[in-house]
Structure formats: structure tokens, C-alpha cells
Amino acid sequence: MIVAPSILSADFSRLAEEIKAIDTAGADWIHLDVMDGHFVPNITFGAPVIKSLRKTTDKVFDAHLMIEQPDRYLEDFAAAGCDYITVHQEACVHLHRTVTRIRELGKKAGVSLNPATSLANIEEILPYVDMILLMSVNPGFGGQKFIDNVYGKVMMLRQMIKESKLDIIIQVDGGVNDKNIEKLAKCGCGCVVAGSYVFGSDDYKTAIEKLKI
């Protein structure tokens, strides 16, 4: 299981120190939740902040763009040092063009789906992506409760990927903790985003280790 703590739940007054802490604690990736206040009801940070944080770690920077018109900013996030750039299917008018551009920039391309969005909406894009991110909460804020029907969604997506003979990471984001990690793994999830579970703990290392099953 790839563990990608989300800095959305970190102490924003000391982000560099927080990233170094989860790096030392065993995080595999660093998850960067970019929110614009339009696609989701919250505002976080953009490419300039990510660029300034890039020097703090060599770990994979996993950018999750919860923004409208993401195509306008792909070059900025690529230049900032993001390794994965994930866009929302719901925010992209021409999704194939968007993921193709991400790959042209030399980055791994991801597509995210909100809880109420059907897997049918990404069936045609699977051959062109490296990762599918399934939201297990409604995006916008950390600390929300896990939506249980995502288990079935993960299993269906895993079957779709298997039948297509593709190599795609399934990532789950929202409400992930030590209580649901085992079931997520059994369903076929290969990467989890954990924000409040990790940063809200007294021991980052122990919290991360409990997710590595």
C-alpha cells in the first residue's frame, strides 16, 4: 500500500517541517490538495507554494487539482515539481486532451471521481492514465467520514482495469484510517491518502505504519 499523507491537515504555519516529519516517518508520497474555492468550497494553495516546498523532500509530489479549468495551470504545476497531476473528470470538458497534456509534460496523469460520479464516465480514458483517484468523501474539507459504498466502487474499478489489461493505480482519498485500510486493500486499492488520521495523531510514524498493509 502506497501511503500519501495529505498536507491539507498539516500545520500550515510550518508546512516545510511537517513534510520533513512525514518523510522521516515513512510516507511514500506527499499528497497536495489544491482547491480554488470554485470547484470545491475551500481555498488552499497553488503552484508557487508547491514549488517552494519541493526542496524539502525527494518523495513523490502527488498533486490533486480540485479546481475549475485545470488545463490553464498544468504547466505551472509541472514546473513546480509535481510528479503526479490528478484532475477531476467533473472539471474537464476535454478530458483526453487534459491527461495527454499532463503526460506530454513528463508527468504521471491521474483522474479523480467524486463519490456520486459513475465509473462509466472514465471507462474510455483508462488507457491514457496512470492513476484513478476515487473520492471517499465529498471533496473540499479534511476530517470527513468515509463513504462506505466506495468499497464496491473500488472493486468494480479493479475489475475494469483487469479486463482492460492495464497497469493503473487505484487511489482512495477521504476518511481513510486504520479501521478501513484492510478492507480497502482487499478491494484492490493500491494507494491511500490520509490527512487528519496522520496529522491528527501523536505519532506520525505509527499512524503511517498502520496503513502499510
Side-chain angles (χ1 to χ4, degrees), residues 160-201:
M160 288 171 61
I161 292 170
K162 182 179 180 181
E163 290 175 357
S164 300
K165 298 181 180 178
L166 297 169
D167 184 16
I168 300 172
I169 295 171
I170 298 177
Q171 185 180 67
V172 173
D173 180 0
V176 173
N177 55 43
D178 58 339
K179 303 297 191 298
N180 52 33
I181 187 64
E182 185 175 349
K183 189 170 182 178
L184 281 171
K186 289 180 178 178
C187 289
C189 175
C191 177
V192 290
V193 177
S196 56
Y197 172 71
V198 172
F199 288 104
S201 70

Side-chain angles (χ1 to χ4, degrees), residues 9-27:
S9 298
D11 181 348
F12 271 36
S13 70
R14 46 190 300 274
L15 278 180
E17 291 87 348
E18 291 276 64
I19 288 176
K20 289 177 182 177
I22 57 173
D23 185 341
T24 302

Side-chain angles (χ1 to χ4, degrees), residues 81-207:
C82 298
D83 300 290
Y84 279 78
I85 299 177
T86 296
V87 297
H88 268 261
Q89 182 273 333
E90 301 90 353
C92 296
V93 177
H94 305 290
L95 185 57
H96 178 269
R97 179 183 296 164
T98 303
V99 298
T100 298
R101 182 57 182 150
I102 293 171
R103 283 182 157 184
E104 287 174 350
L105 291 166
K107 308 300 178 180
K108 299 288 189 180
V111 172
S112 182
L113 293 181
N114 286 334
T117 303
S118 171
L119 291 174
N121 291 322
I122 51 134
E123 187 172 3
E124 300 299 328
I125 205 66
L126 288 180
Y128 308 98
V129 301
D130 303 285
M131 181 169 70
I132 296 295
L133 165 53
L134 299 180
M135 292 301 301
S136 44
V137 298
N138 289 294
F141 298 96
Q144 298 184 66
K145 184 180 178 181
F146 186 90
I147 298 173
D148 287 341
N149 69 359
V150 173
Y151 294 125
K153 203 171 186 180
V154 172
M155 288 189 286
M156 287 188 287
L157 177 57
R158 174 51 60 198
Q159 186 61 29
M160 288 171 61
I161 292 170
K162 182 179 180 181
E163 290 175 357
S164 300
K165 298 181 180 178
L166 297 169
D167 184 16
I168 300 172
I169 295 171
I170 298 177
Q171 185 180 67
V172 173
D173 180 0
V176 173
N177 55 43
D178 58 339
K179 303 297 191 298
N180 52 33
I181 187 64
E182 185 175 349
K183 189 170 182 178
L184 281 171
K186 289 180 178 178
C187 289
C189 175
C191 177
V192 290
V193 177
S196 56
Y197 172 71
V198 172
F199 288 104
S201 70
D202 295 327
D203 185 342
Y204 294 172
K205 186 175 189 297
T206 298

